[in-house]
Amino acid sequence: MSLYDPERDRVRIAGRWLRWSLSWIALPALLGVLVSANVDFRSLPVIGGERLSAVLFQDGQAYFGHLDDSGESGTLTLRDVYYFKNSDGGPTGVAVGLVRRGTEAHEPADGMRINRDRVLAIERVGLGSAVAQAIQVDRELAHASAGRVSLNPTTVAGTNALTAQRVAAEHDIARSWNAAVDQLRKINDLVLPVTKSEAQAITDKAVADLRTVRRNALAAIANKLGMSSAEADAYVRLTDPLLEGPSFANEPAVLLAPDIDAIVTRAVQLYTQVGDAAAKLLTEPKATPAPSPSARP
Amino acid sequence: MPTLGHSRYQAVFLTNGQTYFGRYYDRIGAYAKIEDVYYLQQVKSSDPDAAPDTRIVRRGRELHEPASRMLIPKSAILFIEDLTDASPIAQFMDRDTR
């Protein structure tokens, strides 16, 4: 009878421990290190807030929207897309304006397939950022729903954000109105080829036209916000006089939602047209009547 | 885990000429990740004849207030370098993130 008991063999016991620790400790640990280094847990589609991405292109252009990069092809898909246009020197004080993709001449459908080789970087947009706020207000204006069935429901602006955008737009319109009136005053300070009374009449007419543009812009904002015609009339009557006087000069710039930005931009274009027409009338010398030809030599 | 592994911070040079500084993570797949991203910004001096000042800016204060991590397609990366501990940029980032 052999005294050797395999159950008590130290080498075998050590081997069993080694196999156990390899399969239950070392392998899971290695797997954990690999997964944690390569998987961004915050990117997983778990229940949470909206995931708005910024896709920065190599040419400097930036697009914002819901990113789908799940495919193995060389493209990634961006939906509900917004992008920046150059608004340097514009009425909002922000160097860029936000544009909703789909409003271009070719009216592209939703879903932009982007060549990954042209992408410089991808970032998560902060939901409290100026870009996100403007997008949320745009959704509210379009009466978009929050999509509650989604794991990451889209965010729609509340009353406060909407009010902030409305007030910012009003002040942008007022600032541009002030600038247009100042320009007219400066022209009136020059030596003009028209009489004082003619200059006054031209200026008064131009200021009245500028006021009409301002009121129309306010009415357009009221319409965009979904006010009834009676509410819009009351809003314009109440707000218009408040915009005459204060300069609103040192206010922080606000990135406006695309539709509100379009109203402000249009108002500024019309201010410029009215101002230019008045400046032309004020500064162009009157045509002197040509001497009538004599019948006799 | 940073690929280079010897330094806390890396400089990532991109194909469009831009450089980002931060903690670089190589990952399986098409993208690499940079965390706590900084970049250099040229600021015009008040004197028009003077050269513009260069300052280092932490990414996150832009209009879209991006999160602290950035994904970059590996095809957009030209090369990556470790920053030494003595690097003024690394020291600035160390102080700033503390």
Side-chain angles (χ1 to χ4, degrees), chain A residues 33-34 36-40 42-43 54 56-58 60 64 69 76 84 94 96 116-117 119-132 255, chain B residues 1-2 14-18 20 25-33 35 37 59-60 62-77:
Chain A
V33 167
L34 266 175
S36 63
N38 289 288
V39 174
D40 194 349
R42 287 168 290 192
S43 302
L56 313 181
F57 279 37
Q58 297 196 355
F64 308 96
D69 192 14
L76 38 90
F84 284 148
V94 188
V96 289
R116 193 182 280 120
D117 289 345
V119 173
L120 184 74
I122 295 171
E123 293 176 314
R124 178 71 51 77
V125 176
L127 290 183
S129 67
V131 170
L255 183 71
Chain B
M1 196 175 303
L14 305 181
T15 49
N16 72 338
Q18 216 162 352
Y20 288 119
Y25 294 81
D26 202 352
R27 306 173 358 140
I28 296 170
Y31 298 97
K33 180 172 74 168
E35 288 211 338
V37 183
R59 191 138 181 105
E62 293 73 18
L63 275 175
H64 62 299
E65 291 177 19
S68 62
R69 65 196 183 285
M70 176 187 252
L71 297 180
I72 297 186
K74 290 175 183 172
S75 58
I77 296 174

Side-chain angles (χ1 to χ4, degrees), chain A residues 46-79:
Chain A
V46 289
I47 295 168
E50 183 183 4
R51 286 156 199 279
L52 201 58
S53 297
V55 179
L56 313 181
F57 279 37
Q58 297 196 355
D59 65 358
Q61 183 69 273
Y63 289 90
F64 308 96
H66 296 133
L67 183 65
D68 176 6
D69 192 14
S70 54
E72 285 306 308
S73 66
T75 60
L76 38 90
T77 306
L78 197 64
R79 297 185 193 283

